[in-house]
Amino acid sequence: MRSLHPLVVTPETAEVVELPAGGAFTLLADANHTGGALGANRLRVGPGRDGAKPHYHGLSTELFYVVDGAMEFLLGDRVETVAAGGLVVVPPRLPHAFGAVSGTGADLLAVLTPGVERFGYFRRLARVQHGLEPFDGLRSEQDRYDVHFVDAERWSSLRGGR
Protein backbone atom coordinates (compact mmCIF):
# COMPACT_ATOMS: atom_id res chain seq x y z
CA MET A 1 0.00 0.00 0.00
CA ARG A 2 1.47 3.34 -1.05
CA SER A 3 1.39 6.38 1.19
CA LEU A 4 -1.01 9.13 0.17
CA HIS A 5 0.64 11.63 2.49
CA PRO A 6 3.90 13.54 2.05
CA LEU A 7 6.77 12.81 4.40
CA VAL A 8 8.98 15.61 5.63
CA VAL A 9 12.02 14.78 7.76
CA THR A 10 13.98 17.69 9.13
CA PRO A 11 17.51 17.44 10.55
CA GLU A 12 16.04 17.99 14.01
CA THR A 13 13.60 15.07 13.73
CA ALA A 14 15.85 12.50 12.02
CA GLU A 15 17.26 9.81 14.31
CA VAL A 16 21.07 9.69 14.26
CA VAL A 17 22.75 6.41 15.19
CA GLU A 18 26.44 6.97 15.97
CA LEU A 19 29.09 4.60 14.57
CA PRO A 20 32.79 4.23 15.45
CA ALA A 21 35.47 6.48 13.89
CA GLY A 22 33.13 9.42 13.35
CA GLY A 23 30.53 7.54 11.33
CA ALA A 24 26.75 7.68 11.71
CA PHE A 25 23.47 6.50 10.21
CA THR A 26 20.85 9.22 9.83
CA LEU A 27 17.55 7.35 9.60
CA LEU A 28 15.31 9.29 7.22
CA ALA A 29 12.41 7.10 6.06
CA ASP A 30 11.44 3.51 6.75
CA ALA A 31 8.92 1.48 4.76
CA ASN A 32 6.17 2.19 7.29
CA HIS A 33 6.67 5.95 6.69
CA THR A 34 6.24 5.64 2.91
CA GLY A 35 3.55 3.00 2.51
CA GLY A 36 6.29 0.57 1.50
CA ALA A 37 7.46 2.68 -1.45
CA LEU A 38 11.03 3.16 -0.19
CA GLY A 39 13.41 3.42 2.70
CA ALA A 40 16.12 6.09 2.95
CA ASN A 41 19.08 6.82 5.16
CA ARG A 42 22.26 8.80 5.11
CA LEU A 43 25.52 7.14 6.08
CA ARG A 44 28.64 8.97 7.18
CA VAL A 45 31.65 6.62 7.06
CA GLY A 46 34.97 7.30 8.77
CA PRO A 47 38.22 7.30 6.76
CA GLY A 48 38.79 3.92 5.11
CA ARG A 49 35.95 2.28 7.06
CA ASP A 50 33.54 -0.27 5.64
CA GLY A 51 29.95 0.81 5.17
CA ALA A 52 28.55 -2.67 4.54
CA LYS A 53 29.88 -6.21 4.27
CA PRO A 54 29.11 -8.12 1.04
CA HIS A 55 25.40 -8.83 0.80
CA TYR A 56 22.43 -8.69 -1.56
CA HIS A 57 18.77 -7.73 -1.34
CA GLY A 58 16.31 -10.26 -2.74
CA LEU A 59 13.41 -7.83 -3.08
CA SER A 60 14.74 -4.33 -3.53
CA THR A 61 16.84 -2.11 -5.75
CA GLU A 62 19.29 0.08 -3.85
CA LEU A 63 20.43 3.53 -4.96
CA PHE A 64 23.53 5.23 -3.54
CA TYR A 65 24.44 8.88 -4.07
CA VAL A 66 27.90 9.90 -2.85
CA VAL A 67 27.36 13.29 -1.20
CA ASP A 68 30.97 13.84 -0.12
CA GLY A 69 34.29 11.97 -0.19
CA ALA A 70 34.83 8.80 -2.20
CA MET A 71 33.53 5.26 -1.84
CA GLU A 72 34.65 1.87 -3.12
CA PHE A 73 31.78 -0.37 -4.24
CA LEU A 74 31.84 -4.09 -4.86
CA LEU A 75 29.26 -4.71 -7.59
CA GLY A 76 29.05 -8.40 -8.36
CA ASP A 77 32.60 -9.32 -9.33
CA ARG A 78 33.94 -5.82 -10.01
CA VAL A 79 35.04 -2.94 -7.82
CA GLU A 80 34.31 0.71 -8.68
CA THR A 81 35.51 3.87 -6.98
CA VAL A 82 32.84 6.57 -6.95
CA ALA A 83 33.55 10.16 -5.86
CA ALA A 84 31.24 12.91 -4.63
CA GLY A 85 28.41 13.51 -7.08
CA GLY A 86 28.44 9.91 -8.33
CA LEU A 87 25.46 7.57 -8.33
CA VAL A 88 25.30 3.77 -8.07
CA VAL A 89 22.15 1.68 -8.61
CA VAL A 90 22.26 -1.96 -7.48
CA PRO A 91 19.52 -4.29 -8.80
CA PRO A 92 17.96 -7.00 -6.62
CA ARG A 93 20.09 -10.12 -6.01
CA LEU A 94 23.41 -8.49 -7.04
CA PRO A 95 26.02 -8.98 -4.31
CA HIS A 96 27.49 -5.65 -3.26
CA ALA A 97 29.49 -3.96 -0.50
CA PHE A 98 30.88 -0.48 0.04
CA GLY A 99 33.33 1.47 2.13
CA ALA A 100 35.17 4.76 2.23
CA VAL A 101 38.36 4.99 0.21
CA SER A 102 41.49 4.62 2.34
CA GLY A 103 42.54 7.94 3.86
CA THR A 104 39.19 9.64 3.31
CA GLY A 105 35.76 9.61 4.89
CA ALA A 106 32.53 9.68 2.91
CA ASP A 107 28.91 10.75 3.14
CA LEU A 108 26.36 8.63 1.30
CA LEU A 109 22.60 8.79 0.69
CA ALA A 110 21.04 5.32 0.33
CA VAL A 111 17.52 4.63 -0.95
CA LEU A 112 15.97 1.14 -1.04
CA THR A 113 12.87 0.49 -3.18
CA PRO A 114 10.47 -1.02 -2.50
CA GLY A 115 11.01 -0.20 1.10
CA VAL A 116 11.71 -2.75 3.82
CA GLU A 117 11.47 -2.03 7.55
CA ARG A 118 15.21 -1.61 8.23
CA PHE A 119 15.69 1.01 10.95
CA GLY A 120 15.99 -1.87 13.46
CA TYR A 121 18.74 -3.38 11.31
CA PHE A 122 20.75 -0.13 11.31
CA ARG A 123 20.42 0.19 15.09
CA ARG A 124 21.64 -3.39 15.56
CA LEU A 125 24.47 -2.89 13.06
CA ALA A 126 25.67 0.07 15.12
CA ARG A 127 25.67 -2.15 18.23
CA VAL A 128 27.76 -4.71 16.32
CA GLN A 129 30.24 -2.06 15.21
CA HIS A 130 30.57 -0.80 18.79
CA GLY A 131 31.28 -4.38 19.95
CA LEU A 132 28.06 -4.59 21.97
CA GLU A 133 26.65 -7.58 20.10
CA PRO A 134 28.09 -10.21 17.72
CA PHE A 135 27.77 -9.88 13.95
CA ASP A 136 26.39 -13.42 13.74
CA GLY A 137 23.22 -12.19 15.47
CA LEU A 138 22.35 -10.34 12.26
CA ARG A 139 22.55 -13.55 10.22
CA SER A 140 19.34 -14.83 11.83
CA GLU A 141 17.58 -11.62 10.71
CA GLN A 142 18.54 -11.80 7.00
CA ASP A 143 15.01 -12.52 5.73
CA ARG A 144 13.37 -9.96 8.03
CA TYR A 145 15.59 -7.12 6.78
CA ASP A 146 16.19 -8.48 3.22
CA VAL A 147 19.95 -8.31 3.82
CA HIS A 148 21.52 -11.62 2.77
CA PHE A 149 25.24 -11.86 3.57
CA VAL A 150 27.67 -13.48 1.11
CA ASP A 151 31.38 -14.26 1.06
CA ALA A 152 33.40 -12.07 -1.27
CA GLU A 153 37.10 -12.85 -1.37
CA ARG A 154 37.86 -9.96 -3.72
CA TRP A 155 36.31 -7.44 -1.32
CA SER A 156 38.19 -8.89 1.64
CA SER A 157 41.51 -8.78 -0.17
CA LEU A 158 40.90 -5.26 -1.49
CA ARG A 159 39.88 -3.88 1.88
CA GLY A 160 42.67 -5.68 3.78
CA GLY A 161 40.44 -6.89 6.59
CA ARG A 162 39.24 -3.38 7.51
PDB file of all heavy atoms in Angstrom, residues 62-77:
ATOM      1  N   GLU A  62      18.701  -0.890  -4.757  1.00  0.00           N
ATOM      2  CA  GLU A  62      19.294   0.082  -3.845  1.00  0.00           C
ATOM      3  C   GLU A  62      20.033   1.143  -4.651  1.00  0.00           C
ATOM      4  O   GLU A  62      20.782   0.824  -5.570  1.00  0.00           O
ATOM      5  CB  GLU A  62      20.253  -0.612  -2.875  1.00  0.00           C
ATOM      6  CG  GLU A  62      20.637   0.239  -1.696  1.00  0.00           C
ATOM      7  CD  GLU A  62      21.208  -0.570  -0.548  1.00  0.00           C
ATOM      8  OE1 GLU A  62      21.751  -1.668  -0.774  1.00  0.00           O
ATOM      9  OE2 GLU A  62      21.124  -0.080   0.599  1.00  0.00           O
ATOM     10  N   LEU A  63      19.789   2.388  -4.308  1.00  0.00           N
ATOM     11  CA  LEU A  63      20.425   3.530  -4.960  1.00  0.00           C
ATOM     12  C   LEU A  63      21.340   4.194  -3.942  1.00  0.00           C
ATOM     13  O   LEU A  63      20.946   4.400  -2.793  1.00  0.00           O
ATOM     14  CB  LEU A  63      19.349   4.516  -5.417  1.00  0.00           C
ATOM     15  CG  LEU A  63      19.827   5.827  -6.025  1.00  0.00           C
ATOM     16  CD1 LEU A  63      18.859   6.257  -7.100  1.00  0.00           C
ATOM     17  CD2 LEU A  63      19.990   6.923  -4.987  1.00  0.00           C
ATOM     18  N   PHE A  64      22.567   4.519  -4.380  1.00  0.00           N
ATOM     19  CA  PHE A  64      23.526   5.231  -3.541  1.00  0.00           C
ATOM     20  C   PHE A  64      23.948   6.504  -4.257  1.00  0.00           C
ATOM     21  O   PHE A  64      24.310   6.455  -5.434  1.00  0.00           O
ATOM     22  CB  PHE A  64      24.791   4.383  -3.310  1.00  0.00           C
ATOM     23  CG  PHE A  64      24.541   3.094  -2.606  1.00  0.00           C
ATOM     24  CD1 PHE A  64      24.418   1.917  -3.328  1.00  0.00           C
ATOM     25  CD2 PHE A  64      24.434   3.046  -1.225  1.00  0.00           C
ATOM     26  CE1 PHE A  64      24.212   0.712  -2.688  1.00  0.00           C
ATOM     27  CE2 PHE A  64      24.225   1.846  -0.574  1.00  0.00           C
ATOM     28  CZ  PHE A  64      24.114   0.673  -1.311  1.00  0.00           C
ATOM     29  N   TYR A  65      23.923   7.615  -3.551  1.00  0.00           N
ATOM     30  CA  TYR A  65      24.436   8.875  -4.067  1.00  0.00           C
ATOM     31  C   TYR A  65      25.547   9.320  -3.125  1.00  0.00           C
ATOM     32  O   TYR A  65      25.324   9.481  -1.911  1.00  0.00           O
ATOM     33  CB  TYR A  65      23.339   9.941  -4.129  1.00  0.00           C
ATOM     34  CG  TYR A  65      23.864  11.267  -4.625  1.00  0.00           C
ATOM     35  CD1 TYR A  65      24.114  11.466  -5.981  1.00  0.00           C
ATOM     36  CD2 TYR A  65      24.140  12.296  -3.739  1.00  0.00           C
ATOM     37  CE1 TYR A  65      24.614  12.677  -6.436  1.00  0.00           C
ATOM     38  CE2 TYR A  65      24.642  13.512  -4.187  1.00  0.00           C
ATOM     39  CZ  TYR A  65      24.881  13.689  -5.532  1.00  0.00           C
ATOM     40  OH  TYR A  65      25.382  14.873  -5.980  1.00  0.00           O
ATOM     41  N   VAL A  66      26.761   9.494  -3.665  1.00  0.00           N
ATOM     42  CA  VAL A  66      27.896   9.905  -2.852  1.00  0.00           C
ATOM     43  C   VAL A  66      27.841  11.430  -2.703  1.00  0.00           C
ATOM     44  O   VAL A  66      28.057  12.170  -3.661  1.00  0.00           O
ATOM     45  CB  VAL A  66      29.236   9.452  -3.476  1.00  0.00           C
ATOM     46  CG1 VAL A  66      30.404   9.888  -2.590  1.00  0.00           C
ATOM     47  CG2 VAL A  66      29.250   7.940  -3.680  1.00  0.00           C
ATOM     48  N   VAL A  67      27.522  11.879  -1.500  1.00  0.00           N
ATOM     49  CA  VAL A  67      27.363  13.295  -1.203  1.00  0.00           C
ATOM     50  C   VAL A  67      28.730  13.967  -1.056  1.00  0.00           C
ATOM     51  O   VAL A  67      28.959  15.066  -1.545  1.00  0.00           O
ATOM     52  CB  VAL A  67      26.518  13.494   0.078  1.00  0.00           C
ATOM     53  CG1 VAL A  67      26.415  14.963   0.447  1.00  0.00           C
ATOM     54  CG2 VAL A  67      25.132  12.883  -0.099  1.00  0.00           C
ATOM     55  N   ASP A  68      29.659  13.264  -0.375  1.00  0.00           N
ATOM     56  CA  ASP A  68      30.971  13.840  -0.115  1.00  0.00           C
ATOM     57  C   ASP A  68      31.981  12.703   0.016  1.00  0.00           C
ATOM     58  O   ASP A  68      31.629  11.588   0.401  1.00  0.00           O
ATOM     59  CB  ASP A  68      30.930  14.657   1.182  1.00  0.00           C
ATOM     60  CG  ASP A  68      32.170  15.507   1.386  1.00  0.00           C
ATOM     61  OD1 ASP A  68      32.797  15.918   0.390  1.00  0.00           O
ATOM     62  OD2 ASP A  68      32.522  15.754   2.551  1.00  0.00           O
ATOM     63  N   GLY A  69      33.240  12.971  -0.308  1.00  0.00           N
ATOM     64  CA  GLY A  69      34.291  11.971  -0.188  1.00  0.00           C
ATOM     65  C   GLY A  69      34.296  11.024  -1.378  1.00  0.00           C
ATOM     66  O   GLY A  69      33.866  11.375  -2.479  1.00  0.00           O
ATOM     67  N   ALA A  70      34.770   9.815  -1.147  1.00  0.00           N
ATOM     68  CA  ALA A  70      34.826   8.799  -2.205  1.00  0.00           C
ATOM     69  C   ALA A  70      34.598   7.432  -1.585  1.00  0.00           C
ATOM     70  O   ALA A  70      35.088   7.148  -0.486  1.00  0.00           O
ATOM     71  CB  ALA A  70      36.172   8.838  -2.927  1.00  0.00           C
ATOM     72  N   MET A  71      33.881   6.593  -2.304  1.00  0.00           N
ATOM     73  CA  MET A  71      33.535   5.258  -1.841  1.00  0.00           C
ATOM     74  C   MET A  71      34.016   4.211  -2.834  1.00  0.00           C
ATOM     75  O   MET A  71      34.013   4.451  -4.044  1.00  0.00           O
ATOM     76  CB  MET A  71      32.012   5.114  -1.706  1.00  0.00           C
ATOM     77  CG  MET A  71      31.364   6.028  -0.689  1.00  0.00           C
ATOM     78  SD  MET A  71      31.680   5.557   1.007  1.00  0.00           S
ATOM     79  CE  MET A  71      30.675   4.104   1.154  1.00  0.00           C
ATOM     80  N   GLU A  72      34.398   3.045  -2.301  1.00  0.00           N
ATOM     81  CA  GLU A  72      34.646   1.873  -3.122  1.00  0.00           C
ATOM     82  C   GLU A  72      33.403   0.997  -3.028  1.00  0.00           C
ATOM     83  O   GLU A  72      32.877   0.784  -1.934  1.00  0.00           O
ATOM     84  CB  GLU A  72      35.856   1.097  -2.615  1.00  0.00           C
ATOM     85  CG  GLU A  72      37.158   1.838  -2.802  1.00  0.00           C
ATOM     86  CD  GLU A  72      38.337   1.125  -2.171  1.00  0.00           C
ATOM     87  OE1 GLU A  72      38.186   0.561  -1.067  1.00  0.00           O
ATOM     88  OE2 GLU A  72      39.415   1.176  -2.784  1.00  0.00           O
ATOM     89  N   PHE A  73      32.943   0.511  -4.177  1.00  0.00           N
ATOM     90  CA  PHE A  73      31.778  -0.368  -4.237  1.00  0.00           C
ATOM     91  C   PHE A  73      32.169  -1.689  -4.871  1.00  0.00           C
ATOM     92  O   PHE A  73      32.779  -1.703  -5.946  1.00  0.00           O
ATOM     93  CB  PHE A  73      30.664   0.247  -5.104  1.00  0.00           C
ATOM     94  CG  PHE A  73      29.956   1.398  -4.468  1.00  0.00           C
ATOM     95  CD1 PHE A  73      30.443   2.684  -4.605  1.00  0.00           C
ATOM     96  CD2 PHE A  73      28.790   1.203  -3.745  1.00  0.00           C
ATOM     97  CE1 PHE A  73      29.789   3.766  -4.035  1.00  0.00           C
ATOM     98  CE2 PHE A  73      28.130   2.272  -3.168  1.00  0.00           C
ATOM     99  CZ  PHE A  73      28.626   3.559  -3.313  1.00  0.00           C
ATOM    100  N   LEU A  74      31.810  -2.784  -4.230  1.00  0.00           N
ATOM    101  CA  LEU A  74      31.844  -4.090  -4.857  1.00  0.00           C
ATOM    102  C   LEU A  74      30.494  -4.267  -5.519  1.00  0.00           C
ATOM    103  O   LEU A  74      29.455  -4.133  -4.865  1.00  0.00           O
ATOM    104  CB  LEU A  74      32.066  -5.192  -3.812  1.00  0.00           C
ATOM    105  CG  LEU A  74      31.927  -6.622  -4.328  1.00  0.00           C
ATOM    106  CD1 LEU A  74      33.097  -6.964  -5.257  1.00  0.00           C
ATOM    107  CD2 LEU A  74      31.841  -7.602  -3.163  1.00  0.00           C
ATOM    108  N   LEU A  75      30.497  -4.535  -6.818  1.00  0.00           N
ATOM    109  CA  LEU A  75      29.262  -4.707  -7.590  1.00  0.00           C
ATOM    110  C   LEU A  75      29.388  -6.017  -8.347  1.00  0.00           C
ATOM    111  O   LEU A  75      29.990  -6.071  -9.431  1.00  0.00           O
ATOM    112  CB  LEU A  75      29.062  -3.533  -8.543  1.00  0.00           C
ATOM    113  CG  LEU A  75      29.003  -2.164  -7.856  1.00  0.00           C
ATOM    114  CD1 LEU A  75      29.145  -1.031  -8.859  1.00  0.00           C
ATOM    115  CD2 LEU A  75      27.719  -2.039  -7.040  1.00  0.00           C
ATOM    116  N   GLY A  76      28.857  -7.085  -7.768  1.00  0.00           N
ATOM    117  CA  GLY A  76      29.047  -8.403  -8.360  1.00  0.00           C
ATOM    118  C   GLY A  76      30.500  -8.797  -8.232  1.00  0.00           C
ATOM    119  O   GLY A  76      31.017  -8.945  -7.128  1.00  0.00           O
ATOM    120  N   ASP A  77      31.194  -8.912  -9.372  1.00  0.00           N
ATOM    121  CA  ASP A  77      32.602  -9.317  -9.331  1.00  0.00           C
ATOM    122  C   ASP A  77      33.552  -8.176  -9.667  1.00  0.00           C
ATOM    123  O   ASP A  77      34.734  -8.384  -9.866  1.00  0.00           O
ATOM    124  CB  ASP A  77      32.834 -10.498 -10.272  1.00  0.00           C
ATOM    125  CG  ASP A  77      32.549 -10.161 -11.724  1.00  0.00           C
ATOM    126  OD1 ASP A  77      32.074  -9.040 -12.011  1.00  0.00           O
ATOM    127  OD2 ASP A  77      32.803 -11.018 -12.592  1.00  0.00           O
TER     128      ASP A  77
END
